[in-house]
Every structure is written in C-alpha cells, then in structure tokens.
Amino acid sequence: MATGTSATDIYLGRTGGPPGYALVHSGKVRDIYTLDGEHLLFVATDRVSAFDVVMREGIPGKGRVLSALSAFWFEKTRDVVPNHLVSTRVEDVPGLDSGWRARLRGRVQIVRRATPTPVEWVVRGYVAGSGWKDYQRTRSICGVALPVGLQHASRLETPILTPTTKEAAHDLPLTHDEARAKVGAATFDEAQRVALALYRRGTEVLEPHGILLADTKFEFGILDGRLVLIDEVLTPDSSRFWPRETWKPGENPPSYDKQILRDWLETTGWNKEPPPPALDPAVLARVAQRYLEICQRITGRLPEGVEVAR
Ligand SMILES: Nc1ncnc2c1ncn2[C@@H]1O[C@H](COP(=O)(O)OP(=O)(O)OP(=O)(O)O)[C@@H](O)[C@H]1O
Ligand SMILES: [Mg+2]
C-alpha cells in the first residue's frame, strides 16, 4: 500500500488566507493570522525552501506533517515546560466554510500569543552546519569551548546550548553572556535548563526510531510572567534529523527531509539565487513521500487530512 497525497491537496497560501483573517506575518513556510487579542492562528503551508530560497512549487502534505509533528511534541514535552498550543482542530477556527475547513484541516494551530524572547535557543548534540564552521575556526561553538580533534558530525559528549539572534535573514551566533544580557539572567538560566531538557526528551523519543537529533532550535515566549514553549517544536524545519544508518563522523550525513531536493537542485546548475528552477514532479513526489515517512516513523501515523492512496 502506497501512501501519498493528490495534487489538489497542495496549499501554498499565496492567494490569500481564510476570509476575514488579518495576516500578521508570513514566514518561508507558515502564515500567521490574528484570531483575537489573546490568540494567533498558525497555518502551515506546503511551501518548501532550499538554500534559503522558497521554491515555487509546494510539497503536498508537508504543512500537515509539520503541524502533526509540532502537536505531537507539544504533548510529549508538556511535563518539561508549558506551551502555547490551544487547539489543532479546524472546527475551533471561527467562520470557515466547508471549503476552507477542508483546505486547512491538519494545518492549523490556535496558539496563545506570547512575548517571544529575542533569542533562538539552539541545542546541539553533534557538530554540524554553522557549528562545524565555527568549530574549525575557533575550536568552540558560540563561545562554548570544545575538545580538540572533533570531526564533522562528531557527537558531543554533552549537548550544548548555542543561542543565536532572531534576524529576518541569517541569525547570528550569541555567546551565553550576550544571550543572558538580552533576556536577563533568570530567563536565560530557565531557558537554558528547559532547552537542554527538551533536547534530551527529543533524543529519547527519536533514537529508538533510528533518528539522530543533530541539532534543533526552540523558541520561548513569556506569558503571564512564565516561560512557555512557542513556535514549532522538533520538526524537520527546525531541526537536523539524521538517519542513524548513514551517520559517520568525518562525513556530512544527508538530512532526513530535504536531501533529495538539495541533491537534485545541485544537478541543475542553479545559482541558488531567486528565481529557483521549476521542480521535477518526480522529485516533488519523492520529497512528499519522505515527509510522510518521517511523520509516520515519529508519531506512528499519517497527519490529519492526508489520505492514503490505494
Ligand atoms: N505564541 C506565540 N506568540 C507570539 N509570537 C509567536 C508565537 N509562536 C511563534 N511566534 C513567532 O512567530 C514567528 C513565526 O515566524 P516563522 O517561523 O513562520 O517565519 P520566520 O521566522 O520569519 O521565517 P522562517 O520561515 O525562516 O522561520 C516567529 O517570529 C516566532 O517567534
Ligand atoms: Mg522561524
């Protein structure tokens, strides 16, 4: 039995969102609307970016996978830290007709509006990405000193917090002291403790499924004077997932989700500046399949709103 989604299930969100809702922010992947004074409506689209450029085509079902994963993790980490999620039910979004309900099913999150901390709380358990570049230059990552002799993709003895700024384009590394100065000592200490505990919880859940959590980014907000987990959690968009079978220190492991797309783009001679090339439908289908696989592997089921093709 093959799993898949039909082309009509693609939602890119570019032609306007649900009627009557004011768009407050549109990221590379998600659109955020005001629901009321206390709540926001997050809609995960099927947009996909590679090399920081959003492709013109979407990956059918991708937004539903991201929503299902975040919802799964909010539930799994509730005992570690409270979070912003109120509901993922499309029926709880007021004023949608049946067409909009069908389109948005599995893509919505009603969340409590918090005041985001001006820091992205990155935790790394392995040396990868910008961390590897930083390590090669400074033998540290974001000012955290590390042992000599680590290779690309080496596992760190203890996971480390490597905070960054929140920028529209490229986030910049922060030392712990710089992050502490931005948010205050009490918030910093709490966010550090919680971020490391969340990373540990993530690895405990993922490793039995053969998935390594190389690194991941959390966002926290302040709500009623308390630290709460906001944004998305432990999704392929916020994390580097590696299949354990192909992990080998010294080599750059393929990431679980977008590697197929990146590899294909590399064959096209594209200069990585917009506009991106038109994507091959076979590649789109393979990437879609990969997202569904990740979702099933982690949550044990397909996301809400994705039909099984027979
Ligand atoms: N509960 C919340 N209350 C207020 N703001 C939130 C909440 N949860 C998330 N946010 C904010 O919403 C924004 C989500 O934006 P999103 O991640 O979709 O796009 P982006 O960060 O601009 O770009 P990218 O697509 O590269 O991530 C972030 O600024 C995040 O801090
Ligand atoms: Mg973001």
Side-chain angles (χ1 to χ4, degrees):
M1 184 173 68
T3 55
T5 50
S6 76
T8 55
D9 282 330
I10 296 178
Y11 178 78
L12 292 175
R14 288 184 186 127
T15 50
Y21 284 86
L23 185 70
V24 284
H25 180 82
S26 180
K28 285 200 279 291
V29 173
R30 289 169 305 164
D31 294 336
I32 302 169
Y33 300 90
T34 311
L35 197 70
D36 57 41
E38 282 176 30
H39 299 94
L40 297 170
L41 176 68
F42 275 66
V43 178
T45 73
D46 292 329
R47 300 194 290 261
V48 64
S49 67
F51 306 109
D52 272 343
V53 176
V54 180
M55 303 291 118
R56 282 173 288 177
E57 299 82 354
I59 305 293
K62 173 176 181 276
R64 291 189 165 111
V65 167
L66 297 183
S67 289
L69 284 172
S70 273
F72 171 85
W73 289 112
F74 280 129
E75 185 55 42
K76 281 270 183 233
T77 57
R78 216 182 244 300
D79 58 321
V80 178
V81 62
N83 62 64
H84 71 169
L85 184 61
V86 175
S87 172
T88 57
R89 283 164 42 91
V90 78
E91 288 78 10
D92 292 338
V93 183
L96 300 182
D97 64 17
S98 59
W100 274 102
R101 280 194 184 174
R103 227 165 281 146
L104 298 188
R105 183 171 303 281
R107 302 183 179 282
V108 296
Q109 310 221 321
I110 297 175
V111 308
R112 291 193 65 197
R113 190 196 286 261
T115 306
T117 62
V119 168
E120 305 228 329
W121 303 89
V122 179
V123 179
R124 298 170 185 274
Y126 295 77
V127 188
S130 64
W132 169 236
K133 288 195 189 125
D134 207 4
Y135 176 79
Q136 285 172 290
R137 271 188 299 113
T138 65
R139 211 205 300 155
S140 62
I141 306 180
C142 293
V144 181
L146 294 170
V148 259
L150 294 180
Q151 296 176 288
H152 197 174
S154 281
R155 187 169 195 272
L156 297 172
E157 208 153 296
T158 345
I160 55 169
L161 177 76
T162 59
T164 69
T165 59
K166 266 163 71 105
E167 309 285 336
H170 296 286
D171 301 332
L172 302 169
L174 290 173
T175 65
H176 286 197
D177 285 344
E178 287 165 343
R180 188 180 275 111
K182 275 183 183 288
V183 301
T187 300
F188 178 85
D189 290 344
E190 173 76 348
Q192 166 161 257
R193 183 185 68 74
V194 171
L196 292 170
L198 290 171
Y199 176 88
R200 202 172 319 118
R201 176 63 54 83
T203 60
E204 285 162 8
V205 173
L206 291 168
E207 289 192 355
H209 297 301
I211 300 170
L212 303 181
L213 180 58
D215 49 48
T216 190
K217 180 213 69 171
F218 301 108
E219 288 197 41
F220 297 113
I222 305 293
L223 190 61
D224 302 333
R226 285 204 304 175
L227 190 81
V228 289
L229 181 60
I230 62 168
D231 208 59
E232 60 179 333
V233 193
L234 291 162
T235 70
D237 277 9
S238 67
S239 319
R240 199 173 263 123
F241 292 152
W242 289 336
R244 190 177 43 218
E245 312 90 71
T246 51
W247 171 64
K248 197 163 164 233
E251 289 175 18
N252 187 16
S255 79
Y256 230 111
D257 54 332
K258 286 188 201 157
Q259 200 59 35
I260 299 165
L261 178 58
R262 286 157 162 270
D263 288 350
W264 181 82
L265 284 167
E266 294 282 12
T267 67
T268 63
W270 174 48
N271 64 1
K272 298 177 189 159
E273 299 292 331
L279 302 182
D280 178 342
V283 172
L284 290 174
R286 279 169 54 219
V287 179
Q289 185 60 36
R290 175 61 59 89
Y291 273 96
L292 293 180
E293 249 169 59
I294 295 172
C295 188
Q296 277 192 304
R297 211 154 158 175
I298 298 175
T299 70
R301 55 172 115 152
L302 286 172
E304 190 192 359
V306 171
E307 305 298 328
V308 177
R310 288 163 199 277

